[in-house]
Every structure is written in structure tokens, then in C-alpha cells.
Amino acid sequence: MGDTEVLADVVKVAIAVPLSQVFDYLPIGELSAYQTGCRVLVSFARRKVVGVVVGHGQPSVAISKVKSVEQLLDTAPLVPKDIVELIQWAAGYYHHPLGEAWATALPVALRRAEFKAPKEPVVYRPTKAGAEDCSTLLKRAPAQAGLLAFLSESPLPRSAAECRLHDTGWSAPMKQLIAKELVETVRSGLPAELARDRVKHSPELNSEQSSAASAIRKNLHHFYAQLLYGVTGSGKTEVYIDAARPVIEAGKQVLILLPEIGLTPQLLSRIQSALACRVELSHSGLNDSERFLAWQAARKGEATVLIGTRSAVFTPMPQLGLIVVDEEHDGSLKQQDGFRYHARDLALVRARASNIPVVLASATPSLESLHNAAKGQLELHKLNKRAGAAKGPGLSLLDSRSAHTENGVSGELLGRMNEVLARGEQVIIFINRRGFAPVLMCEACGSMTDCNHCDAHMTIHARSRSLRCHHCGASRSIPRACLHCESTDLLHVGVGTERVDEYLTEKFPDYQVLRIDRDTTSRKGELQRHLAMAASGEAQILVGTQMLAKGHDFPNVTLVGILDADQGLFSADFRSIEQMGQLIVQVAGRAGRAEKPGHVIVQSRSPDHPLLQTLLQEGYGPFTDHLLTERKDALWPPYVHIALLRSDSAVAGEARAFLQQVKEWLSASGSEHIKQITIMGPADAPMERLGGRHRAQLLLMSASRKPLHQLLATMRPALEKNPAARKIRWSLDVDPHDML
Ligand code: ADP
Ligand code: ZN
Ligand code: ZN
């Protein structure tokens, strides 16, 4: 009897399609060869696709209808059990199809059946001659000199990917350096012996840093979730580097997650020189092969440290001993489309399952983490002082309604800039809006130029002479006359980075202005090049968007001007004030990092706003205390658990009607969980029309997590089968980062 059942067993395969179910296939050969975590090639909807084996079992349809696997692609599972379980857990928690979760978790290259693992590429290091002072020799070859200096900074050889981040045109100067025998190539993947005696000594930790580091060091052998809350420049990185040392000495691995690829090269150099071990990077700036190789090195235990963005949380690391999530408050750690997971939250889940410590670090922790620290779920380590000799910046708040401003810049700020620049120091002007001006308005009739596809004004981009929608990307030329009344008196209302750049260039002809925003750094390697120009002092005035706010270290910046601090105060989103506060504190933190004291000028059109006052006068701590109280009173996360069902359609009203149907269906379902859940909406999204689609959302909210998740667990498969739901686009977002 048992025999027939065994014969009928099929392989359960997860396939990257938006359906929660897994699919049955008959094995060719031994069923036991189909281990969970092996890839298979199968035919699905008349295509050949790569799926992942997630188990065995009885077929869910008649066995005669089950197709055979085309090919078993791996002889052993690609990922170990802990990662299989993490992916499974995440797909369950976010109520997302398992196949898509797998597709996110594995390197893209592995989704192709014909993918052949590339050879480990060579890496580059200076020869003995190259390690000497070559400045005279390379006087006329600045690109070579720069590249050689970049190689010399690191105790370990550098990869092509790192060199490319340093300089997109790296390959010609590298050939020259090799021809001159100043640089040699070695095979990558070699261990720490490669480190020459160039290991830089880390600064001696101050007493706050030491006590945080020793608290982390005391708890390296079990699950221990910690929040390292230290003001900008307090030396958080040095703390976790110090805590990582014994982990690495014990032969274990360290995973460091970051929100942004722009931050990885800087951290890579620091970690490599402090720990002298093999460090791999994983981020979207790498090509598929490079990403695969980093993943492979971590998975084989050859890479000791992996620094990566979001999806690196799924990387197999057999010896994993510590996870760090830096800038844990940053929204980019949550994926905003497809499989909407939060890398910080999954890092906590992974650390618990692996019984290892995890450190969340930030100068401006999220309200979630502060709340968890208050509840004792995160152990709090605080760093209140800046490290070394650096002093915290002085702050002044300027009323930009009455103060005289020209192109968004007040006279007082200009005066301060003059002083600072004359002393040979640098200035950051922060404005969270790119382009020249956000609105083109007709002076005669008051009409504004709006996007045809979105509920949004089009931004003026003067240099490219175009109007662009920052939401859908639509673009057209700037009209000469008003489309309504034909008047030619068109006003450029408001300011963006381009306008401030232009104005300051004219105002300070003796200084170099550098603009850092998405428009000037869209090409690969440009962000790195811009940041290097800023760090070297080649440019003295840095004008930028939030790209400038994120953890970069510019020790010579002593003045920061924030032009539009209050943008976040009046947004429709529950998280926007929190984000505004984080941004202001992070930008302000760029001032006065070294021995020189810094100053921050915050221009605001609502300087009396109590939350802004609290933030600037009392600091981030009291500011978040207020916000937490507000969230508690208004029943928002972290005091309640929410999920958002979004829908959009080309036809007005359709998405809303669909969500209304879902709501009625949920209410009528008689589910016992429904009583514990508040359903709000359906409502139009804050920007109802985006890219020509009409958007609506339904908010599900519950004081405890369980009933909400039980409801979602039945809702998702029901929606997948529902004929109305199949005709319309919808998505589910658990713990949404924003409601926009
Ligand atoms: P954070 O991550 O908290 O912003 P970092 O770790 O980047 O701070 O440190 C900021 C700066 O202070 C870096 O240039 C770092 O080298 C320096 N630094 C950190 N700790 C010390 C220390 N104990 N003594 C001297 N300088 C330090
Ligand atoms: Zn007009
Ligand atoms: Zn648009």
C-alpha cells in the first residue's frame, strides 16, 4: 500500500509567478535527488522556466495531468536550511508568492538555466615599486596616480568592480600601471595572507564607544538584538568594527546591510583596512556575474565580511556570527514593489533563528526601533558625544517667509558662506528637490503646468529646457506661452537644486559649485566621482538632495544650509514627519565632523511649528518621544499593525470599486478575526492619478498582529481565485513604509 503512495509523490516547485501556490512536477530519476533548494527547469504556461524545489508530496491534481521536470539543474541545494526557512518565513509573513520570494533571494544569474558560474576574476594590488611614492613618476598621469592611490589605500587587492566604482574609465590607466609594473594582478578569492603590512590602525575607542563595544562583545554567542543609537559622527562604525573583530578571529562571518550602494565603497575601505579580511560587496551597481561571485564567496565561507544592500539579507553564510544593519531607519531597506520585505526586520528574524547577535545602528533610529528598545526587545547602546575632537554643530532656525531670500537662499546664509569659504572650508546646501523650479505658473491667469498623467505639477529643468514629471517620467519642452490664455508671462515658482546651483555659481565665481542629485549622478560611477570631488575639496560648495545626507564623511564641511526643512510637515503620509526629522538631523550631521566646529542654518516657512521647534531645540530624542505619543493617540504603527491593499486601473473609479467589493466581502466572510480588525477606506491614494493610472487603497489595521495575519492568509489566495480580482491590478503591502 505504501508503495503506490511513494510512487505518486511529486516534486513541489516554487515558480516566480504572482500566485501563492507551488506547482507539481514528476521527477525524472530518483525523487531523493530533488532536494529542497535545488533548481529545476520546468515547462510552465508553454515556457521553460527555472523553479526551485521546495518539497515533495502528493499531487494536488490528477497525476495524469502532472508534467515531468525537464531538467534538474543542481546536484546539491543552492542554499542551506536556514535560508530556505528564512525565505519561507518571509513569504508567509508578507503574504507573498513563494516563487517570487525565491526569485528575489537568489542572484539573478541563477534564474537562467544556461548560466555557467564565471571564473573568479583577478584582483589588483600595487607591486613593491607601486607601493613606494610614485607621485613624480605619475605626475602627468592623474588617472593612473588616482587609481594607484586607491589601490594603496586598501590592505587587500581590489576587484574590477571596486575600481569601476572609483573611476568608470579605470581600465586604460590600469593597463598602463600594469605595463609600468606598478600594479600586479592576483587571483581573487585568496585569503587574508594577501594583506600586506598596510593594515591601518583604528582609532582608540573613547569611553562611550568602548562600553557599547564591550556590551556587544559580551553577547556574541546567542541571539541578542541591539540598537546602537549614536549621534552622527559618534563613531558607530568603529564600534561595530571593534565588535566584529573577535567574531572574525573565531573564524566566523559578518553580514553588514546598508540602504544605499553609494555608501558601500567607503565602508569597504574602512573594514578592509581595519579587519584585513576578505570583504565582498553585493549591490545593484554590480553586474549579474559579479553579484553571483560575491554571493558564492559568502556562501562558501571564503568571504569573511559581506557588505550589501537589502537583498543581501538572504545570502547564505555558513559561519555567520554577527549581523549589522547600518542606517536602520532608512526606507530603502524596505522593498517598495514586488516582494515588499523589510531587510532590517528579516535581519532580526535571521539572527534569532541562527542564535547570533544583531546590531541596528543609526543616528536617527526609526520609531519602530525606539519603541522596541523601550519595550526591552532591543538592548540600547547610546553614544551621545561625537568621537575624537569633533564638536556638535550650532543650530539656527531662520524664518524664510520674512527673511529676504533670493533663489531660496537667505542673506544670512550667504554671509555665513562667505566667511566659511574664505577660511578654506566647505559648505553643503541641502534642498530636497531636483530640477530648476517645481512649478511653471502663468502670471496672467494663474494656471500651472501639470502632468497629463499624474496629479502633479511638472518640474522645470532649465538646462535640458524641459518640463518633467518626477512621478511618471513624462517630459515635454517648456511652452513659450500659457496654454490657457496665451500670455507669455510665465513664472518659475519655487526652487530646486539646479536653480540654487546656478545662483551660487554666479554669486561665488571664485569657488567650485558641485551639484549632487539624481540628474547629475544617473550614470554609473558618477555618484562616486562626485563624492570623491566633494571629499577631496575640489569643489567647495556642495548643492544636493538627500543623496548628500546619507552617511558620507566630509570632514572639511563646516556649514550646512537646509533650504526647505518643512516640506515633510504637511504631507499626507503618517511617516513623513519622522522622515523629515531624520533628514534634517542627518544633513546637519555633515557639519563639523573633524576638529572644526560646524554650524547649521535651517530655513523654514513655518518656524513656529512645535515639532520643528522640539527637533531643533531639544534634539531627535524629545522629537521622537512626541511623535511616538502622537502615533499612540492616533493609532498608527508601531502601536498597531497595518497592511495596505493597493489597486490601480486605467479607468477612473474601477480600483476603488474593486476595493469596496473586497471590503464587503471581508466583512461578510464571517471570519472571526474580522472583529479585531479595522478596515479603513477604500480611499484614493494621496496622488490619485499616477502615470495615467487611478489608484486607491484599503487599509487593514489591528492592535495585535495575529488576527491581521490570519485574515491576510485567507484573503490572498481568495483574491487570486476571484474573477474580479484577476482583471485588475492589486498588491498587498504588509507593514507598508509609506501610504503614498
Ligand atoms: P558614525 O558612523 O557614528 O557617523 P563614524 O564611525 O563614521 O561615525 O566616525 C566618524 C569619524 O570619527 C570617522 O572619521 C572616524 O574615523 C572618527 N572616529 C571614530 N571613532 C573615533 C575615536 N575613538 N577617536 C578618534 N576618531 C574617531
Ligand atoms: Zn495663462
Ligand atoms: Zn506624471
Side-chain angles (χ1 to χ4, degrees), residues 479-506:
R480 279 173 211 282
C482 173
L483 300 174
H484 299 274
C485 73
E486 289 174 17
S487 157
T488 51
D489 293 329
L490 299 180
L491 289 177
H492 297 169
V493 184
V495 293
T497 47
E498 201 184 329
R499 186 172 203 166
V500 175
D501 174 4
E502 198 166 279
Y503 173 63
L504 294 177
T505 302
E506 181 199 301

